[in-house]
Amino acid sequence: MIKHFLKIAHAKAEEAVAKSEASVLEVEDLEVEATPEELVMQSVSGDKDRERTDREMVQPWLKFLWESYRSILDVLRNNSKLESLYAAAAHRAYNFCVMYKRGPEFRRLCDLIRLHLTNLNRFKDQRDRPDITNPETLNLYLSTRFEQLRYAAELGMYQEAFRTVEDIHTLQALAGRQPHPLTMVAYYTRLQKVFWASDCQLYHAYAWYKIYSLSRQHNKALKEGDLRLMATHCVLAALSVLPYDRAAVGGVHDPELAREKQERVSSILGFKDETGAASVVSRASLISELRTKGLLDLCPPEVRSVFHLLESEFNPMGMYTKAEPQVAAVEALGAQMVFSSGFPSQEAGFEKYSEPLKRLAVLQMVKQLGRIYSSMRLESLGDLLRLSFKEVEKVVMEAVKGGFANVRLDHRNGYVIFERQSSITTDSSVVVSLGKVAGGLQAAFSMLPVSAAAAAARNAERSATSRLHLSQLEEEHRRCLARRSHSPPSSRKPSSWRSRSQRSPPAARAAPSSLGWPRTRARAPAAAARAARAGRRRRQGAAG
């Protein structure tokens, strides 16, 4: 009966939409822009013909359909015998909101379903109450929230999407058990789309990592090509994360509030450290995890070369020039990689990672230029980066605000000034760079051709130096012994040696301890005297 009722209501709404479109197309004279009646109505109401027609024909039926869905959900709520019908009605209500672009009604629908779950947890003595710990019931409730998350992303309502993520986390806490791993794969697949659309690259990368981990452990039918494609997505998504906190760039930034938010999101996503405790997600920890788990070995050579260039290579003068063709090769690689029907996401392309990778190349190049230059002209920096002055200024200032680079722009003289806070003796980056230069020079020197005469002269010099050191070894040993024999006796006294005058007097040695008992050293002479007297008495008794 409920399905038939919804079918009739949908048919009426579609019929009203068709009539509204037909009435707009019915125009008597195409040369006349508007009739006098239409001009009067526009001057009074300010609405166009289509808006006015929709309000008269379509809006009543849409309102009726929305009220029908809300009433049906209220009737079917929190009943274990009707939970499958409740989930189907919720899915159709989501589809109604997306079909007619009803954002306010979708928000009210999410609040209504959230209220039903709250009442289910509050009134535990209700008759026919659904048991969330039951696997089938839990899957129904989770599938409803997963669809809600997908439709929220389609409508662009990302705040509601994040609230849906919290609802899913609450459901898991109430059930006291984790859903099926493949169900969580579908959940993280939708979640990574939401994070990318809401400009949260860090959580997008971690969602891909969870997809890879769960699929590799629990999906036995997963093909090797799909696994390589997942690993490639994980590495590219991690590289797309900015090396500084974007929240610190614009407006007022509260570090404590930001950390609390990160801990909350990390707890919801299930990010844990080595000890199993909840930990804050960071770019450095994620990249370290990718290296430890060997995801780079599964990636194609093009992706590994981009990763090495942006994370390990020191190339301040040509990093951006070298990164452009490699990023283009990675972008073309996405169209060549084929995935099977079991792949979680149907979006296998890498085009969306191109701009973040180029931006990271610019940031790394600016930071490396600050290690070898103290200042540089803006035109020279723009030529190296192949960017205009406005783009260079924007990138540099965002890096400075985020704490990634220490740069100052001199607009009057047209210079970029790289400020250093430490000297060469304490700057580890400079020391590492000098060590690399020294190692390279040594390797180059060892590869130079050496003539036979030069090699013989070098060997003769080394032999002469060795003989000189050996001849002086015995003489140096005798000198050390002579210095030791002529040293004054007082200097050879051990540190624990004390003269008789420095020792404690007998009275002081015989002083009682803090417990009132005489010390052992004071007690020894009295015991010896008593033993001597006892011996004399025994000898006298034996003689008598």
Side-chain angles (χ1 to χ4, degrees), residues 228-256:
R228 291 181 179 274
L229 189 56
M230 290 180 193
T232 305
H233 269 289
C234 292
V235 173
L236 293 178
L239 287 177
S240 301
V241 181
L242 288 175
Y244 57 85
D245 190 5
R246 177 172 289 183
V249 175
V252 180
H253 177 62
D254 188 358
E256 294 295 332

Side-chain angles (χ1 to χ4, degrees), residues 376-383 389 392 409-411 414-416:
M376 176 183 286
R377 295 194 63 86
L378 286 171
E379 293 82 1
S380 302
L381 182 60
D383 294 339
F389 170 75
V392 170
L409 296 180
D410 187 356
H411 293 277
Y415 279 95
V416 180

Side-chain angles (χ1 to χ4, degrees), residues 485-534:
S485 62
H486 287 84
S487 59
S490 60
S491 62
R492 297 198 302 269
K493 290 179 181 179
S495 58
S496 60
W497 183 88
R498 291 185 301 175
S499 63
R500 186 178 297 274
S501 61
Q502 293 175 340
R503 296 180 182 177
S504 302
R509 293 199 303 268
S513 64
S514 59
L515 297 177
W517 293 93
R519 298 183 183 273
T520 306
R521 185 173 297 178
R523 200 166 56 240
R530 287 194 299 270
R533 288 195 296 269

